[in-house]
Amino acid sequence: MKPEKFSATALLFPSLLMALIVLGYPVYELLNTSAHSVNKFFNVGDFVAFQNYQSLFQDEFFRAALVRTVYWTVLVVGGTVLLSFPIAMILNEDFYGRSLARTIILLPWAVSLTIMAVVWRWALNGESGLLNLTLQSLGITHERIQWLAESSTSFPMAIMIGVLVSIPFTVTVLLGGLSSLPKDVYEAARVDGASGSIMFTHITMPMMRPFVSIAVVLNVIYVFNSFPILWVLTEGGPVNSTDVLVTYLYKATSAKFFGDPGKGAALGIIMLVLLMLFSLIYARIAKEGEDVRA
Amino acid sequence: MLKQVHSVPKTNVRKQNLMQSKSFKSVLFWLILSPIVILTLFPYAVMITTALKPATEIYSNPPTWFGTHLEWGNFSRVWEMGFGQNMLNSIWVTLAATFLALLVSFPAAYSLSRFNHSKRFSGFYRQFLLATQMLSPIIITVGIFKVVASLKMIDSFTPLILIYATFNIAFCTWMLQSYFNTIPGELEEAAWIDGCSRFQSFTHIFLPLALPATAIAALFSFIYCWNEFVLAFLVLRTPEHATITMRVFSLVGGRYTVEWELVMAAAVLATLPMVLMFVFLQRQIIRGLAMGSIK
């Protein structure tokens, strides 16, 4: 090994080692636990192979949470990307008060999701909440709504909050993309008499593809794994009607709820597999898209 | 400028000028942005006005934005509940985890940016970093809990620091690497020709140029650690050991009667440090992220 090559690898080594130990060991324990029967005090019993997985799939709450997670992820990420694109386009233009607008829109990033959710929980309070007050004084609604009492209103609200808190990161990624687009291409197109909409569909969209990809992949991972919003708002209730996989996983594991760590571990593994599958499929699709253009 | 050959109707020209004037654009853009701006600012308004309400008027019916007077005492009451300690806990965990994350990410990013790795190896390393992003604390809850319990580290900061640092490696490395790529290698090569060792050229030339990006990477790590909830929720047990975010949640979670004016005062205290940093550094943040998000 050449000294050059040695130092190149040696410099990467600490980060690899740290991630492998700090995350690898818990993952090993997770796999191990998922294949054993475990009581609520985490005492590991007999080896049961796939029994924990089986009991999960027979559990109607799990199936409902799985479906709800798909809704949650698709709607939050979809809404976020759809809203973030025009916002990023605007923030990339030069106008009065641009840095103020940027600061306001990026602000939620600096605040913890948990605290955001705590504030919203209070704002959504049926009796004294300020959202009802605001909506009524604007004449949008006429009676007070008990937002968090039923999943039909609390889940959409959770999705809205999810979108709101995901916008800052997404706008920033897209803004980074937009500001890196070469100006001369647009100039050339303008000289050739291309209209604004043609430029958007033929230059901006294709060149932004990698940035949209990054935003989608990372957002899917973050939103799929997002625990605080739903936990703070409803704890997955009433009667598990707003559970997604993460809140259900916590309940399955915690002694305060179902107290079955084996099941919680199995669900963790299932979620990991789902995320890996998603990334693989997405990488394949993105690659095909590039091949088509190339 | 070429003279226009075909005549354009005058109104069109006027419309064009109007559309292109900065003032018109600004008004239009602010109008388009207004719903999202209002929705974004709404929770802050709720947080601040509630934090300043007297306790007796919290559940007023009908609800109001402001109480009969501004109750600044809510903040001192929260402080007396020991929130200073929770702030200190958060500061310690955040600084230690960020330092650790940068300690391993900086060399990794330098290596990726300055040495020729085989395509295969750098591809593997990138996949590996992405995989660390998928392992959120909640997914590996059971594994983390077992490991932390068997090491007798429940209610201690050590697992928090280690795990936060590890989750920040990916982002710090991505961001630093793309920034390092923009620092021209010729500068260092020139120094080698002048007889500097690789290490000398690194400390004298590369490091000063790399510091701004490192500061931004650190800021993102700060924000993540300061705000993280799930892991603190799993590992920390006593109010004295809670991080500030965790403590704010504990005033609400699983309770039937909530003293909202105190919760909101605590939320303001917990939020202020990061928001101030963010506002002061927003320009650098956007630039830093634009760097970090390139491929």
Side-chain angles (χ1 to χ4, degrees):
Chain A
M1 211 174 192
K2 294 205 301 254
E4 185 85 341
K5 186 137 180 134
F6 170 76
S7 51
T9 316
L11 288 171
L12 285 173
F13 202 69
S15 57
L16 274 168
L17 192 69
M18 184 164 151
L20 272 177
I21 294 173
V22 173
L23 297 178
Y25 187 25
V27 169
Y28 160 76
E29 282 287 4
L30 186 71
L31 263 170
N32 200 9
T33 312
S34 77
H36 286 84
S37 91
V38 185
N39 74 3
K40 70 175 173 194
F41 303 110
F42 279 76
N43 297 328
V44 179
D46 302 332
F47 176 79
V48 294
F50 290 104
Q51 211 176 308
N52 285 321
Y53 294 84
Q54 272 170 343
S55 68
L56 254 189
F57 281 107
Q58 284 154 3
D59 179 340
E60 58 174 306
F61 287 135
F62 161 77
R63 290 199 298 264
L66 181 64
V67 172
R68 215 170 286 116
T69 304
V70 174
Y71 276 116
W72 162 254
T73 310
V74 170
L75 289 171
V76 172
V77 176
T80 301
V81 174
L82 284 178
L83 284 172
S84 297
F85 212 104
I87 293 172
M89 297 274 295
I90 287 179
L91 293 180
N92 194 40
E93 296 283 328
D94 181 30
F95 65 98
Y96 294 116
R98 177 172 76 163
S99 42
L100 177 66
R102 278 187 174 185
T103 307
I104 291 172
I105 284 169
L106 296 188
L107 214 48
W109 199 343
V111 184
S112 117
L113 274 184
T114 315
I115 289 181
M116 242 341 158
V118 166
V119 174
W120 274 104
R121 179 167 144 182
W122 168 235
L124 294 172
N125 181 296
E127 304 307 326
S128 318
L130 293 166
L131 183 69
N132 277 340
L133 172 69
T134 311
L135 290 176
Q136 280 176 307
S137 53
L138 292 174
I140 298 172
T141 56
H142 297 293
E143 63 264 359
R144 286 186 211 159
I145 300 168
Q146 301 284 347
W147 296 100
L148 299 178
E150 280 183 38
S151 59
S152 61
T153 46
S154 61
F155 198 61
M157 272 294 157
I159 288 172
M160 182 198 79
I161 298 166
V163 169
L164 273 178
V165 298
S166 308
I167 282 177
F169 168 75
T170 315
V171 164
T172 315
V173 170
L174 297 177
L175 208 50
L178 287 169
S179 58
S180 71
L181 298 182
K183 301 263 183 298
D184 50 357
V185 180
Y186 286 92
E187 286 303 319
R190 195 167 293 128
V191 171
D192 290 343
S195 67
S197 59
I198 292 272
M199 285 203 251
F200 179 76
T201 51
H202 285 70
I203 304 175
T204 311
M205 291 292 275
M207 287 186 118
M208 284 298 287
R209 193 185 289 249
F211 296 93
V212 174
S213 286
I214 293 171
V216 169
V217 171
L218 287 178
N219 269 316
V220 165
I221 294 175
Y222 297 148
V223 172
F224 182 83
N225 287 336
S226 180
F227 178 79
I229 298 174
L230 282 159
W231 190 254
V232 170
L233 285 184
T234 63
E235 295 199 356
V239 205
N240 304 336
S241 60
T242 51
D243 263 329
V244 287
L245 290 176
V246 278
T247 56
Y248 186 72
L249 188 155
Y250 179 76
K251 285 183 186 176
T253 310
S254 167
K256 280 188 212 148
F257 295 89
F258 306 127
D260 186 351
K263 217 168 164 179
L267 181 47
I269 297 290
I270 291 173
M271 288 180 73
L272 264 184
V273 170
L274 286 175
L275 278 175
M276 301 248 171
L277 277 176
F278 162 79
S279 296
L280 285 173
I281 293 167
Y282 198 91
R284 178 70 48 86
I285 292 172
K287 211 176 154 71
E288 270 175 15
E290 277 176 23
D291 291 345
V292 168
R293 279 185 303 137
Chain B
M1 217 28 225
L2 282 173
K3 260 177 70 174
Q4 290 249 322
V5 183
H6 51 277
S7 64
V8 181
K10 260 213 163 81
T11 50
N12 254 355
V13 175
R14 271 235 299 281
K15 204 168 150 190
Q16 283 264 312
N17 288 343
L18 181 67
M19 286 295 285
Q20 278 162 357
S21 87
K22 194 169 165 184
S23 311
F24 177 80
K25 246 177 37 173
S26 305
V27 172
L28 181 73
F29 286 164
W30 274 101
L31 273 177
I32 300 172
L33 289 177
S34 62
I36 194 85
V37 166
I38 291 167
L39 268 176
T40 302
L41 293 177
F42 178 76
Y44 296 95
V46 171
M47 184 154 83
I48 292 162
T49 55
T50 307
L52 291 170
K53 263 187 177 178
T56 49
E57 297 171 40
I58 285 296
Y59 288 105
S60 64
N61 200 339
T64 53
W65 277 97
F66 291 98
T68 46
H69 65 280
L70 296 183
E71 183 57 77
W72 294 94
N74 291 334
F75 288 99
S76 47
R77 277 184 61 203
V78 165
W79 199 252
E80 281 154 21
M81 287 160 71
F83 270 69
Q85 183 58 48
N86 303 119
M87 287 281 221
L88 286 176
N89 296 344
S90 273
I91 291 171
W92 160 237
V93 168
T94 300
L95 287 177
T98 302
F99 176 76
L100 202 56
L102 287 174
L103 196 68
V104 297
S105 304
F106 194 100
Y110 181 81
S111 169
L112 288 172
S113 158
R114 286 295 184 267
F115 291 98
N116 287 323
H117 291 280
S118 67
K119 247 198 144 62
R120 188 180 220 171
F121 179 75
S122 55
F124 155 77
Y125 187 79
R126 208 179 294 274
Q127 289 296 322
F128 176 77
L129 289 184
L130 188 64
T132 64
Q133 293 300 287
M134 293 181 196
L135 295 165
S136 73
I138 187 76
I139 286 192
I140 48 176
T141 295
V142 178
I144 286 179
F145 195 83
K146 278 204 70 161
V147 173
V148 171
S150 67
L151 295 172
K152 303 268 186 294
M153 283 188 180
I154 292 290
D155 209 27
S156 120
F157 296 137
T158 315
L160 247 60
I161 291 168
L162 278 172
I163 298 172
Y164 288 172
T166 309
F167 277 124
N168 277 312
I169 291 174
F171 193 80
C172 289
T173 307
W174 281 328
M175 209 167 124
L176 291 173
Q177 185 208 343
S178 19
Y179 183 80
F180 293 172
N181 287 344
T182 65
I183 301 176
E186 291 85 8
L187 295 174
E188 287 150 276
E189 283 159 21
W192 300 344
I193 292 166
D194 294 342
C196 283
S197 66
R198 195 181 249 281
F199 182 72
Q200 280 173 314
S201 72
F202 169 80
T203 51
H204 287 82
I205 293 164
F206 184 83
L207 204 53
L209 289 171
L211 279 179
T214 313
I216 295 294
L219 176 75
F220 281 109
S221 170
F222 282 172
I223 289 175
Y224 173 90
C225 300
W226 187 268
N227 293 334
E228 204 281 340
F229 167 71
V230 175
L231 205 62
F233 185 50
L234 293 174
V235 173
L236 302 175
R237 286 279 177 274
T238 51
E240 310 67 83
H241 281 199
T243 55
I244 186 83
T245 305
M246 181 61 217
R247 187 74 198 270
V248 173
F249 171 79
S250 71
L251 299 174
V252 178
R255 292 176 178 230
Y256 289 105
T257 51
V258 179
E259 296 180 272
W260 285 108
E261 75 287 356
L262 295 184
V263 174
M264 293 300 143
V268 171
L269 288 177
T271 302
L272 217 49
M274 289 299 140
V275 167
L276 287 179
M277 250 204 276
F278 209 81
V279 170
F280 278 120
L281 295 171
Q282 68 102 9
R283 199 170 288 262
Q284 287 84 337
I285 289 169
I286 292 185
R287 202 174 317 136
L289 263 177
M291 302 263 176
S293 63
I294 296 168
K295 308 201 180 43

